[in-house]
Amino acid sequence: IIANNCENNRNIYTIACGTSFHASKTAAVFFNEIAGIEIIPTLPGDFRGQYSKSLKDNDVIIGVSQSGETKDLIDIFNDVEASGLDIKMVVLANNMNSTLGQEKSDVSIPIFCGPEIAVPATKSFVNQITLFYYLAIKIAEMKFNKLEKSDSKYYKTFKKSLKARFKSIDDIPKLIEETIETTKDQVEFVASKIYFEPSMHILATKITGVAKEGALKIRETVLNHTEGGEASEFKHGPNTILGKNTVYGIKHVKAMIKYYNNTLLKLEETAADKKIPHDETKKISAALGNFIFKKTFPFDLTEEATDVFRELTENYTFFDEGYRNYPLIYVTGPEERDVNLTISQINTHKIRGGDSFIIAEENDNLLINAKTNPHDEGYYGWGYIPLPKTGDTLMTTFSSTIVLQLLALKMSVRKMEKLDKFGIVDHGVHPDVPKNVSKSITVD
């Protein structure tokens, strides 16, 4: 199917939702880097709006679905089938006894990850990207077999690269195992720093699909707003979140309440010194609460109480006390260009109020730039989760994926336990069964 597609110079589309879409974006990197072939990852709705009227014979549709029952995707397959065009449709699915696995495809390829126990997909994502990685290598092998040996330099280079890629497939299980074992402490440390932050961004250099999937896992299981994307895009608007903002979480509220309580203590001490009656002190306290949110001045106080109120509210910084640095998680492969781009992003954002948490293979320059406080004093948060050394960005997709999944797990457990301790009913935070999500979306 792919050979015919390449010979006719037509398009390959991968269509998927949610986690499977993120796997498709990662697949695009594999196909580009390994096989030199473009694939176009798209959501079903975007495909219908952007590509459905421009399909041609010999295009290829690759649908990706854990359940094989994704309604959005089935609708697209029905549309393509109804078009009458000579388009081959391939499905990657975990449940082969499904509509997509049995009825809608020319070729069905099993993901073979076994039952996904938790609602948020983890095993299926890893198996999807592993399968795409293997397919990219096999297509590269197909292209290699058509090479002329007369181009000896290119032939030898391609052959050596292909041999290394086939070996790396066998390394993936061990890489995942080592990632789990060697990153435990740092994952726990970073989780402890950010699990209560109301919002954060995961910024990846090149491997955007990994960042998007990591963000989805944190949104699903921790219920913290999290965005994932290409690191360079953050400075094109999303960086306005840095510095003072109105995104408050429990830690922010705790700091503001502490400041307010200290103000009340000061009020009581001042009132006692000036022998202001208790009823008048209560009026000052109520006026202070109104002043915080309405900036209204009280006119029902005695002259002496008014002086106390003025003293308390002069240069009052209630909301400033809630300001905290904004957490940014950077993910990069070990290539020098990618590392340098990540360092540039770190230094650009931390001076504006970003904390820096790094997921990458060990790199001294990356470490130094991550840990250096951009200011002479004041809090600056940072962390570095070192991945097992591979020297290969594509292998980093597997190790960084595992770290982000573990980070979401640890954050979810910490937040769940804390909310339970607070006595908050139906908060919905749970690593396996978070609120509002289901295993398969079978309705429009």
Side-chain angles (χ1 to χ4, degrees):
I1 290 175
I2 300 297
N4 178 68
N5 172 271
C6 292
E7 287 172 6
N8 288 278
N9 196 30
R10 289 307 307 150
N11 294 330
I12 303 173
Y13 301 93
T14 51
I15 310 175
C17 307
T19 287
S20 298
F21 172 65
H22 303 152
S24 296
K25 287 191 69 65
T26 306
V29 178
F30 294 160
F31 276 64
N32 177 62
E33 295 282 331
I34 299 172
I37 288 179
E38 174 195 20
I39 63 173
I40 304 170
T42 181
L43 298 163
D46 286 341
F47 178 84
R48 190 162 62 89
Q50 298 171 21
Y51 305 109
S52 60
K53 303 299 183 183
S54 54
L55 295 173
K56 302 287 189 299
D57 288 339
N58 300 306
D59 281 341
V60 173
I61 304 293
I62 302 177
V64 190
S65 171
Q66 199 278 134
S67 67
E69 298 292 348
T70 308
K71 180 63 163 55
D72 319 46
L73 189 53
I74 292 172
D75 288 345
I76 295 299
F77 271 57
N78 288 337
D79 291 344
V80 173
E81 186 178 18
S83 72
L85 295 169
D86 183 14
I87 295 175
K88 298 299 182 184
M89 292 188 285
V90 180
V91 167
L92 275 59
N94 192 39
N95 178 16
M96 296 302 288
N97 296 317
S98 60
T99 302
L100 287 169
Q102 294 289 325
E103 301 175 19
K104 299 298 178 182
S105 58
D106 296 295
V107 177
S108 299
I109 305 176
I111 296 169
F112 281 137
C113 76
E116 187 85 76
I117 304 301
V119 175
T122 50
K123 291 193 304 179
S124 57
F125 180 79
V126 172
N127 275 38
Q128 284 169 352
I129 63 174
T130 302
L131 180 53
F132 271 127
Y133 185 70
Y134 177 72
L135 288 173
I137 295 171
K138 292 298 290 183
I139 292 168
E141 183 183 42
M142 176 191 73
K143 292 179 69 176
F144 171 74
N145 291 334
K146 293 183 179 181
L147 281 177
E148 295 290 339
K149 290 188 178 182
S150 57
D151 187 1
S152 58
K153 184 177 180 181
Y154 182 64
Y155 184 87
K156 288 178 181 178
T157 302
F158 201 159
K159 184 177 181 179
K160 183 179 179 181
S161 174
L162 204 54
K163 184 178 180 181
R165 286 295 167 201
F166 273 112
K167 174 188 176 298
S168 67
I169 294 173
D170 294 331
D171 291 337
I172 291 172
K174 180 63 178 175
L175 175 63
I176 291 173
E177 182 181 351
E178 187 168 332
T179 301
I180 294 171
E181 290 300 317
T182 60
T183 63
K184 286 180 180 178
D185 291 344
Q186 286 305 311
V187 166
E188 196 73 65
F189 171 77
V190 173
S192 71
K193 291 288 185 180
I194 65 175
Y195 76 98
F196 245 153
E197 299 296 339
S199 180
M200 65 196 72
H201 275 67
I202 303 176
L203 307 179
T205 302
K206 188 186 287 186
I207 49 178
T208 308
V210 171
K212 287 185 173 293
E213 176 58 15
L216 178 61
K217 286 294 144 300
I218 293 174
R219 281 200 306 272
E220 285 180 322
T221 62
V222 192
L223 277 60
N224 295 7
H225 171 259
T226 312
E227 295 290 338
E230 167 60 38
S232 61
E233 276 296 295
F234 187 72
K235 63 180 176 288
H236 292 283
N239 61 350
T240 56
I241 196 71
L242 302 179
K244 291 185 179 179
N245 60 60
T246 53
V247 180
Y248 297 127
I250 288 180
K251 287 185 177 180
H252 304 73
V253 173
K254 180 181 177 181
M256 290 187 282
I257 289 175
K258 181 179 179 181
Y259 181 73
Y260 180 70
N261 286 340
N262 288 337
T263 305
L264 293 181
L265 288 174
K266 184 179 178 181
L267 167 60
E268 290 179 6
E269 292 171 359
T270 304
D273 289 342
K274 295 181 180 295
K275 296 183 172 51
I276 295 175
H278 180 65
D279 287 347
E280 197 70 11
T281 302
K282 286 173 62 178
K283 284 186 177 182
I284 299 173
S285 177
L288 182 62
N290 287 329
F291 178 81
I292 290 171
F293 293 101
K294 298 181 180 179
K295 289 299 178 184
T296 55
F297 187 86
F299 294 96
D300 59 343
L301 302 177
T302 64
E303 183 176 348
E304 197 167 30
T306 299
D307 289 340
V308 172
F309 179 82
R310 290 183 191 277
E311 181 182 333
L312 290 173
T313 57
E314 185 177 6
N315 300 320
Y316 198 69
T317 59
F318 177 82
F319 290 103
D320 284 358
E321 301 305 312
Y323 165 69
R324 294 172 59 83
N325 285 355
Y326 187 85
L328 298 173
I329 302 172
Y330 298 88
V331 184
T332 182
E335 294 174 27
E336 184 178 4
R337 180 176 180 179
D338 295 341
V339 169
N340 288 339
L341 285 169
T342 303
I343 289 172
S344 176
Q345 299 293 337
I346 291 169
N347 290 322
T348 297
H349 302 319
K350 70 181 181 180
I351 61 173
R352 292 170 171 81
D355 285 340
S356 307
F357 300 96
I358 317 301
I359 300 173
E361 296 185 8
E362 287 189 23
N363 183 286
D364 289 342
N365 287 335
L366 198 53
L367 175 61
I368 290 169
N369 282 275
K371 73 178 184 179
T372 303
N373 193 327
H375 308 291
D376 294 333
E377 58 184 26
Y379 177 80
Y380 166 66
W382 73 279
Y384 197 125
I385 304 176
L387 303 174
K389 190 172 181 61
T390 66
D392 180 3
T393 294
L394 302 192
M395 293 298 279
T396 302
T397 61
F398 296 95
S399 54
S400 58
T401 288
I402 295 301
V403 164
L404 285 167
Q405 289 177 348
L406 291 172
L407 184 62
L409 168 64
K410 298 299 183 181
M411 290 171 65
S412 180
V413 171
R414 280 177 174 270
K415 187 173 179 181
M416 176 180 65
E417 290 175 348
K418 184 69 75 172
L419 295 180
D420 286 346
K421 186 177 180 180
F422 289 161
I424 298 175
V425 180
D426 298 329
H427 55 70
V429 177
H430 196 287
D432 292 334
V433 284
K435 66 182 177 69
N436 298 343
V437 293
S438 61
K439 293 300 294 180
S440 179
I441 309 299
T442 58
V443 296
D444 289 321

